């Protein structure tokens, strides 16, 4: 299957080639034809599956094809995303795929001055990517009207509700024209998502990729037992022994993120912390540096890391394990994206054993336990721990065995 097989027009396939996309991902293969035909789509897909392109490509193609007979007299497509980071990424994807199409898009989000955003809006745009809060602000001030919207995308709908955006979303939806095409994307389908989708979509085509709670399928996962005081030294050893192209390191606290960052810099490893105490500008600068590879390591707390999407992130390191087991799955899902394989390494101190147990319960197979020379956990011997945590069937010597997999949602080589 190629993008040409999906009837994607040449300027877009050219742009996709430039991005290095050879074949559509499963969600793209399934969703694009329906969106091109004009159907509403209800997509269940995790981030990392290529869902942004699954809606961005058909929107661009339809707007482009209808350009001649409908000179832009207002915003024609609206994409709503829960966080600024995600909104920015979506906007970057639109930039990537729309080269040569002469369609204008922009992104609005809170936490920064609105003036540069309203300047662009005044000049007229075709596609708007927005977070709910800032969008409502700008609507209330009269900078944005949604009565010309033809395409509406709600991305990561479950996360939006999680973040308390339900009232905002309802206010926004109320201002959209009845006649429009809608794409609704979510990773999970709790009851409130079902009812929101029911109220919004008309005869939607359901498109589903990958089991909802499965971890990223191509991530090679391992855990080291190490006491808190030794984690710094172990991190150094990991950097010495592993081929690390770029890593996202997770800590539980902002203070912890700052400390790990300082330690790495002392070791000569370029690292930046990204967390809620940093200004929006500092966060963006850090993300940019990470993307253009001038910064090799980003150290993040869970909240700050939401929406970080970097092509070819080779490693996720859990310097501390998360308390909420689902967070582990979100964390490691940052690597092994778009069919690339990735590595997730976790450090587990004695007091984190409970968290590890909970995480293992959530996974189809327990995380592979590894040992590093020179490190012994103090309260039990490392071997005891290995015996306690390792499921009987597991083969810890086979580094290349696909860990924690139920099944692959797609073949790596295929795209
Ligand atoms: P998303 O799920 O939209 O966040 O996309 C995850 C990653 O997959 C992004 O880094 C995209 O650039 C990449 N991607 C999307 N579609 C394709 C494709 N057809 N081939 C290769 N990479 C892709």
């Amino acid at each position: 299957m190629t993008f040409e097989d999906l009837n994607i027009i040449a300027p877009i396939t050219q742009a996709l080639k430039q991005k290095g996309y050879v074949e559509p991902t499963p969600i793209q293969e399934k969703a694009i034809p329906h969106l091109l035909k004009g159907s509403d789509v209800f997509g269940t897909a995790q981030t990392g599956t290529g869902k942004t392109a699954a809606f961005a490509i058909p929107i661009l193609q339809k707007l482009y094809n209808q350009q001649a007979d409908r000179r832009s007299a207002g915003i024609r497509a609206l994409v709503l995303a829960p966080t600024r980071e995600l909104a920015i990424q979506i906007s970057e994807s639109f930039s990537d795929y729309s080269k040569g199409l002469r369609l204008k898009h922009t992104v609005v989000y809170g936490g920064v001055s609105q003036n540069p955003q309203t300047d662009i809006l005044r000049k007229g745009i075709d596609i708007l990517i927005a977070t709910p809060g800032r969008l409502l602000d700008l609507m209330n001030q009269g900078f944005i009207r949604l009565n010309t919207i033809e395409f509406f995308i709600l991305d990561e709908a479950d996360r939006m509700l999680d973040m308390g955006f339900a009232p905002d979303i309802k206010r926004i939806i109320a201002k959209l024209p009845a006649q429009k095409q809608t794409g609704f994307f979510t990773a999970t389908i709790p009851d409130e998502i079902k009812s929101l989708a029911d109220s919004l979509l008309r005869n939607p085509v359901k498109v589903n990729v990958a089991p909802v709670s499965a971890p990223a399928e191509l991530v090679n996962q391992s855990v080291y037992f190490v006491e808190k005081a030794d984690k710094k030294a172990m991190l150094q050893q990991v950097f010495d022994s592993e081929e690390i192209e770029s890593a996202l390191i997770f800590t539980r606290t902002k203070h912890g993120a700052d400390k790990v960052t300082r330690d790495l810099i002392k070791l000569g490893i370029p690292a930046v912390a990204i967390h809620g105490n940093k200004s929006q500008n500092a966060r963006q600068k850090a993300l940019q540096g990470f993307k253009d590879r001038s910064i090799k390591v980003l150290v993040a707390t869970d909240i700050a890391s939401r929406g970080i999407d970097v092509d070819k992130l080779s490693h996720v390191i859990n310097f501390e394990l998360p308390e909420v087991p689902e967070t582990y799955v979100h964390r490691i899902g940052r690597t092994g994206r778009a069919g690339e394989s990735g590595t997730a390494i976790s450090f587990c101190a004695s007091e984190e054993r409970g968290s590890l147990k909970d995480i293992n319960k959530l996974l189809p197979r327990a995380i592979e336990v590894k040992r590093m020379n020179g490190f012994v956990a103090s309260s039990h011997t490392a071997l005891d721990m290995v015996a306690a945590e390792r499921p009987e069937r597991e083969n810890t010597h086979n580094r290349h065995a696909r860990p924690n997999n139920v099944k692959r949602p797609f073949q790596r080589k295929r795209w």
Side-chain angles (χ1 to χ4, degrees), residues 3 21 23-25 28 47-52 309 311 337-338 415:
F3 284 104
Y21 297 3
E23 290 187 3
T25 68
Q28 291 160 8
T47 186
T49 52
K51 69 179 158 60
T52 312
D309 169 33
D311 286 345
R337 306 187 100 175
W415 52 286

